[in-house]
Amino acid sequence: MPETGNAKVYTFKNGEGEPDFTVLSSIDKDVEFRVQRAALAAGSEVFQDMFSVCDVPDVSDVPDGDWENVEDVEGAKEKKQPDAGSTMTMAEDANVLRNLFRVLHDPPISLPSATVMAKWVKLPHYMQGTGPAPPLDAANAIPFPLLKKLFLLNDKYIFKPTMVATLHTHLAVHAFDEPLEVYAMSTILGIDDVAAFASTQLHSPPLESYSLDQISILPSITSLHLLYQLHAVRRQRLCEVLAEEPLFPRGYGECPTKGHTEKAEEAWRKQKRILLSMGRIQAGADLSIEMMPVAVEVSGCVTCHKAYQAAIGMLQYKSAKIPQSISNLPEYKILKQTSAAVKRLVI
C-alpha cells in the first residue's frame, strides 16, 4: 500500500491488466483506490450500469452512497473535473471500499452448497468419509463478520448472481460453528436452503437453554416457532422409535445360551425405561449413544452383542428418517405455499 503525497493508495488487480480507474472516499479523504473497471463491472450490476455511460458523475453528495439511482437523486453533481472519466468519489469509508474492491477483484471460490451438504450430513458416520461433499471447517470460508458486511454491500451494489450464490455457500459453511447466527441471517435474507441447512445444526442444545439475548437475533416469531416445531417433532419421533425397537425382533438373533436372551432383553428394556421416563430424549439425542450402557451388559456374549449392534443399527437408520430440517415440516411447506400465492396476487 504505497503513499502518494499524504494519501494512502490501495491498488487492486484481478491478474489481467493494470488499474484504470480511481475511487476516492468522501469520508476518508486521505485514501484513494486504484481499481479495474472490468473487474467492477464483471461483479456488480451497479458498476456495470455506471460504466455503460460515458461520463462518471461525482456522487459524493448522494446520501449513504446510494448512487445506484443517481439519476433520480437531487443533489448529485455531475462535475466536469480534470480526468473525470477515470475518477469518482463515493460516500463510503475506506474500510467499506476496501472490502468491496477486494471481493470484486478477487472473488471467493464456490464451496459445496447448503443443499449438497444437507445430503452429506444424512449419511451414516462410517460413510461420511467417502461422501461427495465433506463438511468444511469455517476456516475454509470467508470469516463470518466479513461475510455479513459483504451481504450488506450486495444490497447496495447488486453483485452478479454467480457471486451471490458463492456467498451463500460460504454462509452455509458457518452453520457448523454458528448455526443460530446463520439461521437468523439467512432467514432475514430469504436464503431458504441455507436457513433449512442451519436448522439441521440446531437440534442441540434445547432451545430453552438459549438466553434472551441469543434468541432475540431471530427476525420473527415464525422463525422461532419453526425451530420449536422441529424440536417437538424430533423428540416425539425419537421417543417412538426407541420405544418400539426390540433387541431381538420376532426372536431373531436370540442367544442359545440359557439365560442370556432374558438378561440382554432386560438390560435393553431397563435402559429404554430410564431414557423415556426421565425425559432424557431431546431433539439432538443420538439413540446409539444413549443405549450404550446395554453394551456393557452384553459384552461377554458374542451372540448377544451382535444382536445389540444390529438393534443399534436399526435405531440409527430409523433416526435418520426423522425430520432433520424445518423444510421437512408440514407447517413450513404450507407457509412457503402461502407466501408464493400472496406474491403472485401482489404481482
Side-chain angles (χ1 to χ4, degrees), residues 8-303:
K8 297 178 181 177
V9 179
Y10 293 89
T11 301
F12 294 90
K13 297 190 295 184
N14 63 1
E16 299 178 5
E18 294 296 323
D20 56 3
F21 194 73
T22 300
V23 177
L24 306 175
S25 168
S26 65
I27 298 173
D28 296 314
K29 300 182 184 298
D30 60 341
V31 177
E32 68 179 60
F33 299 87
R34 294 175 183 173
V35 298
Q36 292 177 304
R37 291 174 185 246
L40 302 189
S44 162
E45 300 281 357
V46 171
F47 282 114
Q48 183 181 47
D49 290 346
M50 185 191 76
F51 288 130
S52 68
V53 299
C54 296
D55 294 321
V56 180
D58 184 318
V59 291
S60 58
D61 293 336
V62 178
D64 300 323
D66 183 16
W67 45 273
E68 173 193 350
N69 299 313
V70 64
E71 293 179 357
D72 301 322
V73 179
E74 293 183 8
K77 301 177 182 178
E78 297 189 14
K79 300 176 182 176
K80 297 298 182 179
Q81 300 174 345
D83 203 21
S86 60
T87 303
M88 178 181 67
T89 301
M90 293 175 59
E92 301 280 12
D93 66 41
N95 287 331
V96 169
L97 292 176
R98 189 163 56 245
N99 290 332
L100 174 63
F101 297 143
R102 181 185 296 132
V103 76
L104 292 178
H105 285 79
D106 186 18
I109 61 170
S110 182
L111 303 176
S113 68
T115 302
V116 169
M117 287 196 290
K119 294 177 181 178
W120 193 92
V121 297
K122 291 180 182 178
L123 293 175
H125 293 297
Y126 60 86
M127 290 178 60
Q128 289 185 3
T130 59
L136 299 169
D137 188 272
N140 294 305
I142 297 170
F144 193 55
L146 175 58
L147 193 58
K148 290 191 285 188
K149 294 176 182 177
L150 293 180
F151 276 111
L152 289 175
L153 289 174
N154 172 54
D155 218 28
K156 274 188 176 183
Y157 299 102
I158 314 180
F159 295 156
K160 295 294 182 70
T162 302
M163 171 85 76
V164 175
T166 296
L167 294 181
H168 289 183
T169 67
H170 284 251
L171 179 60
V173 170
H174 287 287
F176 291 110
D177 296 325
E178 300 182 78
L180 189 65
E181 291 82 355
V182 171
Y183 177 71
M185 186 173 177
S186 53
T187 301
I188 291 170
L189 296 172
I191 313 172
D192 292 344
D193 62 333
V194 177
F197 178 67
S199 72
T200 69
Q201 307 302 304
L202 285 167
H203 298 166
S204 181
L207 294 176
E208 55 269 24
S209 68
Y210 288 100
S211 69
L212 180 59
D213 285 342
Q214 289 174 313
I215 211 71
S216 64
I217 68 173
L218 296 181
S220 66
I221 293 295
T222 299
S223 60
L224 177 59
H225 176 72
L226 287 172
L227 287 181
Y228 268 106
Q229 282 295 103
L230 179 61
H231 276 229
V233 169
R234 286 188 56 78
R235 283 196 302 269
Q236 179 181 347
R237 289 292 297 120
L238 284 168
C239 286
E240 291 171 354
V241 165
L242 180 60
E244 295 168 3
E245 190 60 36
L247 180 60
F248 301 107
R250 299 178 182 176
Y252 179 78
E254 288 185 349
C255 183
T257 304
K258 184 177 180 180
H260 278 206
T261 294
E262 292 77 10
K263 179 182 177 182
E265 282 189 321
E266 176 54 30
W268 184 259
R269 287 193 297 265
K270 179 181 177 181
Q271 184 61 16
K272 290 204 297 185
R273 285 196 301 269
I274 291 173
L275 295 174
L276 295 172
S277 64
M278 296 180 65
R280 285 173 53 181
I281 303 301
Q282 297 294 331
D286 184 335
L287 296 183
S288 63
I289 293 177
E290 298 292 348
M291 293 299 289
M292 281 186 67
V294 180
V296 177
E297 299 294 331
V298 300
S299 60
C301 175
V302 174
T303 302

Side-chain angles (χ1 to χ4, degrees), residues 318-336:
K318 293 177 180 178
S319 295
K321 298 292 185 181
I322 296 172
Q324 305 280 333
S325 158
I326 58 170
S327 63
N328 302 132
L329 299 174
E331 283 193 6
Y332 179 84
K333 296 174 183 178
I334 293 172
L335 178 66
K336 288 301 171 185

